[in-house]
Amino acid sequence: MTAIAVAPTTHATSAGHLPKWAPWGLLAVCFIIAGTIFAFANAGGDPADFNIALTLVVGMILYMGLIFVVSTVAESRRHATDRLMTALVSAAFVVALLPLISLLYTVVVNGLARFDGEFFSFSMRNIVGEGGGAIHAVWGTLLITLGATIISVPIGLMTSIYLVEYGQGKKLARGITFLVDVMTGIPSIVAGLFIYSVFALIMGPGTRIGIMGSLALSVLMIPVVVRGSEELLRIVPNELREAAYALGVPKWLTIIKVVMPTAIAGIVTSIMLAIARVIGETAPLLLTVGIVQGMNLNMFSGQMSTLPVFSYMQAKYPGLPADAYIDRAWASALTLILIVMVLNLAGRLIAKVFAPKMTGR
């Protein structure tokens, strides 16, 4: 027997690899180059005018070209294409995130000027110029949004339950789905005009009360709740329903005890999204609720103030000194963002508490 030694072969097509730090190093170099370019362009100007967002975008564009060339030389064309696509996706994420970060930064920086105890303790009654606060607008926003939620959530949930559990293949279900899709695209001003017209026919022209604002917001909330809840109820496994039916549980109890608890986390999230969708609306509230300078907690009598309308009026019609009005507008915008954030955190906590627990033996 003759032993045949097989020597290890090397593939001529194998290519090297860039070290792990190389892409990050190239990215840093590109950002430094872009920052240097814009720093020279802004030489002699106000440092606050330095455009950070545009610097990041230009840096990402330079990085995409540089990483493709370097990877092509050091690795292979296939690796270069892969790194280019990764950079392109990352750049798209950065571009999508920049407006949000810029918005939050601008609101926080400008809103902190009046984010004090007086702002949350006083209204604008008898206030001209500096001072005053927006406690009346905060309470108005919370009450009107709460009213809209109380109206919209039961209607939206029951509609979605009908569409998923009872309306399969029925003409009524198809008609409801079509109407919900149409309502989803209704401009907010149309909802405000609709509610204002109805109350003008019933109570007379010029009527503006808090419940009108809740009804206008509910017109915008209901389709969001319906579509979100419907999709979440559809993804509940049919095996769970069939297991309950096999045990003799009636359909309505199966929905309450099995289907709803399974989808509760997503349903709460869709409700929070619907609230966030309407809590910042200005046009319908300006038509239906109006604006007052003092506190009014009665939703069935008199005009009320809300944070979106308050912010709009302070910025649109500033008095003297104008800076005081602009500061109050920014502070009310910051307060509105914080309210939405708190509501979303509360919604996630509620969903976590009431979601079905997975236990094993």
Side-chain angles (χ1 to χ4, degrees):
M1 298 294 293
T2 304
I4 301 175
V6 180
T9 60
T10 58
H11 295 282
T13 57
S14 62
H17 293 278
L18 290 174
K20 292 183 178 180
W21 57 265
W24 295 104
L26 292 175
L27 182 63
V29 169
C30 292
F31 282 151
I32 292 173
I33 294 173
T36 304
I37 293 174
F38 284 100
F40 276 110
N42 193 45
D46 188 354
D49 295 334
F50 182 80
N51 198 324
I52 299 177
L54 193 57
T55 300
L56 294 176
V57 173
V58 173
M60 290 298 297
I61 294 175
L62 292 175
Y63 171 74
M64 285 187 285
L66 185 60
I67 191 65
F68 182 78
V69 173
V70 172
S71 181
T72 301
V73 174
E75 297 177 313
S76 66
R77 186 63 176 265
R78 181 172 60 85
H79 286 86
T81 304
D82 178 69
R83 292 188 182 276
L84 177 62
M85 292 298 104
T86 302
L88 186 61
V89 172
S90 302
F93 171 75
V94 171
V95 170
L97 202 61
L98 282 177
L100 176 61
I101 296 176
S102 177
L103 173 65
L104 292 176
Y105 175 79
T106 303
V107 174
V108 170
V109 169
N110 291 281
L112 289 176
R114 277 303 319 274
F115 206 76
D116 49 31
E118 183 182 4
F119 186 80
F120 296 100
S121 304
F122 292 87
S123 65
M124 291 300 295
R125 183 179 295 276
N126 300 325
I127 299 295
V128 178
E130 298 180 349
I135 185 62
H136 59 309
V138 173
W139 276 108
T141 295
L142 294 177
L143 289 174
I144 291 173
T145 306
L146 177 62
T149 304
I150 293 174
I151 296 170
S152 304
V153 171
I155 296 175
L157 284 180
M158 287 188 288
T159 302
S160 60
I161 289 172
Y162 171 78
L163 292 175
V164 175
E165 304 293 339
Y166 296 96
Q168 296 285 349
K170 295 183 179 179
K171 292 183 178 180
L172 179 59
R174 292 196 294 268
I176 292 175
T177 301
F178 174 75
L179 291 176
V180 168
D181 291 339
V182 172
M183 288 179 62
T184 304
I186 289 179
S188 59
I189 187 67
V190 175
L193 285 171
F194 169 71
I195 298 299
Y196 177 82
S197 301
V198 171
F199 275 79
L201 293 174
I202 298 173
M203 304 179 63
T207 303
R208 289 184 174 88
I209 53 179
I211 192 62
M212 292 173 60
S214 295
L215 291 171
L217 295 184
S218 67
V219 173
L220 302 173
M221 278 188 67
I222 289 174
V224 179
V225 175
V226 171
R227 297 303 292 173
S229 302
E230 180 186 359
E231 295 301 323
L232 291 163
L233 292 176
R234 289 189 188 279
I235 64 176
V236 175
N238 283 326
E239 289 78 4
L240 297 178
R241 298 180 177 90
E242 293 170 356
Y245 298 152
L247 295 173
V249 180
K251 188 168 187 175
W252 67 270
L253 192 58
T254 300
I255 295 171
I256 295 175
K257 294 294 186 179
V258 177
V259 177
M260 294 295 291
T262 304
I264 187 64
I267 290 175
V268 172
T269 301
S270 68
I271 293 173
M272 291 299 106
L273 290 174
I275 293 174
R277 158 77 173 82
V278 302
I279 196 172
E281 290 292 346
T282 304
L285 297 180
L286 191 61
L287 283 172
T288 57
V289 180
I291 182 73
V292 291
Q293 302 302 319
M295 183 80 74
N296 178 22
L297 302 181
N298 188 349
M299 295 183 60
F300 299 91
S301 176
Q303 300 185 35
M304 299 178 68
S305 184
T306 56
L307 284 172
V309 178
F310 177 80
S311 180
Y312 169 76
M313 297 299 289
Q314 291 289 310
K316 181 67 174 178
Y317 304 104
L320 294 175
D323 290 343
Y325 291 79
I326 300 300
D327 289 343
R328 284 194 291 263
W330 281 114
S332 62
L334 177 59
T335 304
L336 192 60
I337 291 176
L338 291 177
I339 290 175
V340 173
M341 183 182 70
V342 170
L343 289 175
N344 276 277
L345 292 176
R348 291 182 179 274
L349 180 62
I350 293 172
K352 185 176 181 179
V353 170
F354 290 97
K357 304 298 186 297
M358 302 299 294
T359 58
R361 296 184 61 182

